[in-house]
């Protein structure tokens, strides 16, 4: 696993502008994809992406600078849920503009970066052999299907209509 | 899920910050605009993918396969890196793409959180299903006998206790040590999952939607497998299969992913790993094969 822990360079934190710049780049690409794929108005989508980027920025900042050992994902989730909570003064505004960004537009851009990034593991992947690939595929399938079947049984038992 | 906090059992455990530091190292030190060609390449990939749009292939009556733009971008991205048709996507750019990706997970999570917030009362109503389906992830242990039959030994414990993403890698390494067979097993799952997991799960979900008569919410909840990219790839076909239920599906998928993230790791530590070891001790003498792994402990 060379890449999991390689390098020992120190982090020089003049970086918040780099976060902002990266999020701006990501937002622009997402808004363009969102416009081509779903024809949502560009201004509304830009405001939606601005809200999501702000949440992300706040989350990653809090993870690194608040004295708690909590992941940014938790901060972002909690803030997002509170802002959109029905009854909050922000709820209508946030829900309206964020709904202009299709989840799939975000996912499509996100997975393009994933695709380029994962190519790096290709050589290690090739070295692992068919047997490990079989086990991995079965593990992923069983984790997904296990959760789906349990969820279905509980939903049916608690009488949730389809 | 690429960032996680591991409970503080061991004061010198540094693993929990590996991912954060990796991200910071890659994207904070470098002005991202210096890699503008990487981002322009992504833009071009996205435009191509969105222009092609969703393709539906009917394979039988009432059964169809949906191929979505997200599949094109991930495969094109991989091909762009491997085939190197353009010279500016090199290893360095791949590292930056990976670092940037860890920041962009936040945007994805934020969108799912807003959907969850809008539907918070529905989430409370479905609480039992949401929580219990986390235990469904224990089904990975069913793969242990197959791993043994394929000739894996203690590697199988690392391979089948969970889906083997970053937090699980950290837990296994923390428990068994970096050079243990268990850690080799979880590393193998991690690498293979990184390369084929996202593509595989989107086809798995497409097939499951066609062939399994499960509740739409069950599919939504199951997509929170504990990896942001696999979660993203699993939601796509689910959204397409149940038009008009977007907000609910996003809410359940997002919340279930959040649960996998907060609760799932404790299920792995306190239930899945001990259970995998028990099953291993039980089955290994009966069906274990000659080890296929080379005998060396230092890699």
């Amino acid at each position: 696993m060379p890449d999991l822990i390689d390098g020992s360079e120190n982090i020089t934190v003049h970086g918040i502008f780099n976060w902002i710049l990266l999020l701006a780049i990501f937002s622009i690409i997402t808004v363009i994809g969102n416009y081509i794929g779903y024809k949502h108005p560009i201004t509304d989508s830009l405001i939606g992406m601005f809200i999501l980027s702000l949440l992300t920025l706040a989350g990653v900042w809090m993870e690194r600078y608040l004295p708690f050992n909590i992941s940014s994902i938790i901060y972002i989730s909690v803030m997002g849920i509170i802002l959109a909570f029905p009854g909050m003064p922000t709820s209508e505004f946030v829900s309206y503009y964020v709904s202009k960004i299709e989840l799939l537009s975000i996912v499509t851009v996100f997975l393009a970066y994933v695709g380029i990034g994962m190519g790096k593991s290709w050589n290690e992947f090739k070295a692992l052999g068919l047997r490990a690939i079989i086990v991995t595929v079965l593990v992923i399938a069983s984790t997904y299907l296990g959760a789906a079947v349990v969820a279905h049984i509980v939903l049916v038992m608690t009488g949730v209509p389809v | 899920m690429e960032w996680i906090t591991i409970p503080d059992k061991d004061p010198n455990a540094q693993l929990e910050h590996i991912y954060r530091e990796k991200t910071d190292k890659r994207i904070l030190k470098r002005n991202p605009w210096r890699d503008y060609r990487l981002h322009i390449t992504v833009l071009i990939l996205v435009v191509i993918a969105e222009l092609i749009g969703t393709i539906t292939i009917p394979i039988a009556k009432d059964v169809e396969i949906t191929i979505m733009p997200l599949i094109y971008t991930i495969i094109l991205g991989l091909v762009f890196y491997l085939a190197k048709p353009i010279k500016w996507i090199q290893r360095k750019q791949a590292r930056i793409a990976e670092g940037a990706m860890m920041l962009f997970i936040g945007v994805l999570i934020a969108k799912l959180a807003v959907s969850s917030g809008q539907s918070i009362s529905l989430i409370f109503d479905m609480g039992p299903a949401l929580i219990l389906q986390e235990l469904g992830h224990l089904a990975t242990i069913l793969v242990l006998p197959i791993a043994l039959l394929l000739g894996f030994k203690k590697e199988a414990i690392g391979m089948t206790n969970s889906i083997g993403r970053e937090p699980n890698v950290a837990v296994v390494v923390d428990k068994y040590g970096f050079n243990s067979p268990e850690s080799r097993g979880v590393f193998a799952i991690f690498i293979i999952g990184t390369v084929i997991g996202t593509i595989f799960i989107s086809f798995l979900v497409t097939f499951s939607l066609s062939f399994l008569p499960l509740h739409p919410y069950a599919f939504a909840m199951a997509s929170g497998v504990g990896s942001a990219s696999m979660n993203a790839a699993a939601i796509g076909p689910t959204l397409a299969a149940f038009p008009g239920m977007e907000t609910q599906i996003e809410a359940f998928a997002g919340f279930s992913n959040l649960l996998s993230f907060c609760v799932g790791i404790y299920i792995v530590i306190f239930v899945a790993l001990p259970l995998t070891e028990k099953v291993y001790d039980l089955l290994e003498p009966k069906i274990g094969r000659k080890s296929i792994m080379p005998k060396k402990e230092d890699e």
Side-chain angles (χ1 to χ4, degrees):
Chain A
M1 289 302 294
D3 231 59
L4 216 72
I5 46 163
D6 66 344
S8 52
E9 311 144 74
N10 287 318
I11 306 153
T12 53
V13 185
H14 54 269
I16 195 156
F17 293 107
N18 285 357
W19 281 337
I20 295 174
L21 199 51
L22 272 172
L23 287 168
I25 293 169
F26 186 75
S27 298
I28 291 166
I29 301 175
T30 307
V31 167
I32 293 173
N34 199 44
Y35 179 73
I36 299 173
Y38 301 92
K39 298 285 175 293
H40 285 309
I42 288 187
T43 346
D44 286 6
S45 319
L46 274 173
I47 299 174
M49 279 310 287
F50 180 74
I51 297 170
L52 295 178
S53 300
L54 215 56
L55 280 168
T56 307
L57 197 60
V60 291
W61 186 87
M62 287 158 95
E63 180 188 20
R64 285 160 179 79
Y65 294 98
L66 293 188
F68 312 107
N69 197 5
I70 299 176
S71 150
S72 60
I73 294 202
I74 314 263
Y75 286 123
I76 295 170
S77 298
V78 171
M79 286 187 294
I81 289 173
I82 291 174
L83 285 185
F85 201 91
M88 285 291 288
T90 46
S91 167
E92 217 164 294
F93 175 81
V94 168
S95 304
Y96 173 78
Y97 285 106
V98 170
S99 72
K100 295 296 167 197
I101 303 285
E102 294 291 331
L103 179 69
L104 289 179
S105 305
I106 301 174
V107 167
T108 306
V109 183
F110 174 68
L111 290 183
Y113 284 96
V114 173
I116 293 173
M118 76 193 189
K120 203 168 49 58
S121 309
W122 188 255
N123 288 334
E124 294 148 32
F125 166 72
K126 275 194 305 190
L128 278 164
L130 186 63
R131 283 191 262 219
I133 294 176
I134 294 173
V135 175
T136 308
V137 163
L138 291 175
V139 161
I140 295 173
S142 60
T143 204
Y144 175 77
L145 295 174
V149 168
V150 172
H152 177 76
I153 293 170
V154 178
L155 287 170
V156 169
M157 279 183 359
T158 49
V160 178
V162 177
Chain B
M1 275 307 143
E2 275 74 8
W3 295 330
I4 183 123
T5 47
I6 305 298
D8 261 332
K9 281 190 300 160
D10 177 357
N12 359 314
Q14 285 299 309
L15 270 166
E16 61 192 276
H17 295 307
I18 286 176
Y19 313 107
R20 184 194 302 173
E21 281 165 14
K22 187 161 87 169
T23 316
D24 287 355
K25 199 171 72 193
R26 287 187 193 168
I27 64 177
L28 290 188
K29 287 187 70 174
R30 218 175 135 83
N31 181 346
W33 197 241
R34 274 173 56 191
D35 296 295
Y36 66 95
R37 287 182 298 193
L38 167 70
H39 303 294
I40 290 174
T41 310
V42 170
L43 174 63
I44 293 168
L45 290 184
V46 169
V47 170
I48 295 172
E50 293 287 4
L51 284 177
I52 302 175
T54 305
I55 297 177
T56 324
I57 307 165
I59 50 169
K61 192 172 168 292
D62 297 332
V63 180
E64 54 189 28
I65 301 221
T66 317
I67 305 178
M68 317 194 74
L70 60 98
I71 290 291
Y72 315 144
T73 51
I74 192 167
I75 293 180
L76 282 175
L78 183 62
V79 168
F80 266 45
Y81 178 77
L82 291 177
K84 306 232 183 326
I86 34 179
K87 62 178 183 320
W88 59 77
I89 304 291
Q90 298 297 337
R91 195 172 170 83
K92 186 166 218 162
Q93 277 69 40
R95 291 166 64 85
I96 287 160
E98 204 183 44
M101 177 197 107
M102 292 183 185
L103 179 65
F104 300 154
I105 286 170
V107 178
L108 191 66
I109 300 290
K111 164 74 182 169
L112 291 171
V114 169
S115 291
S116 298
Q118 284 173 270
S119 332
I120 197 80
S121 60
L122 190 64
I123 284 177
F124 280 119
D125 289 346
M126 303 297 153
L130 268 168
I131 290 167
L132 289 172
Q133 59 89 28
E134 285 300 317
L135 294 172
H137 294 311
L138 293 174
T140 53
I141 301 173
L142 299 175
V143 185
L144 182 74
I146 301 169
L148 289 173
L149 288 174
L150 286 170
F152 291 103
K153 290 284 177 192
K154 291 221 176 245
E155 294 83 12
I157 295 177
M159 293 174 110
T160 59
N161 70 81
S162 64
I163 194 168
R165 302 316 301 163
E166 284 89 341
N168 315 115
V169 171
V171 168
V172 172
V173 171
D174 187 43
K175 178 159 181 182
Y176 299 96
F178 197 81
N179 290 318
S180 61
E182 288 88 348
S183 295
R184 276 205 301 275
V186 78
F187 286 149
I189 300 288
F190 175 80
I191 292 170
I192 298 172
T194 304
V195 177
I196 60 169
T198 318
I199 299 165
F200 172 72
I201 202 164
S202 77
F203 285 106
L204 173 75
V205 172
T206 308
F207 276 101
S208 306
L209 287 163
S210 299
F211 293 108
L212 295 179
L214 300 183
H215 198 288
Y217 295 172
F219 288 114
M221 292 174 189
S223 64
V225 289
S227 147
S229 51
M230 289 193 217
N231 182 23
I235 301 172
T238 316
L239 285 175
F242 305 108
M245 300 176 75
E246 283 86 358
T247 310
Q248 291 97 311
I249 289 174
E250 286 170 14
F252 288 130
F255 207 81
S256 139
N257 212 24
L258 183 62
L259 275 179
S260 293
F261 186 62
C262 318
V263 184
I265 200 76
Y266 295 98
I267 296 183
V268 170
I269 294 172
F270 296 114
V271 184
L273 264 179
L275 191 62
T276 316
E277 285 182 338
K278 283 265 178 351
V279 177
Y280 178 85
D281 291 340
L282 197 73
L283 289 180
E284 200 277 330
K286 297 201 177 90
I287 60 169
R289 295 280 185 271
K290 206 164 152 295
S291 177
I292 53 161
M293 287 304 196
K295 273 261 170 276
K296 72 175 169 59
E297 294 289 290
D298 51 333
E299 297 220 314

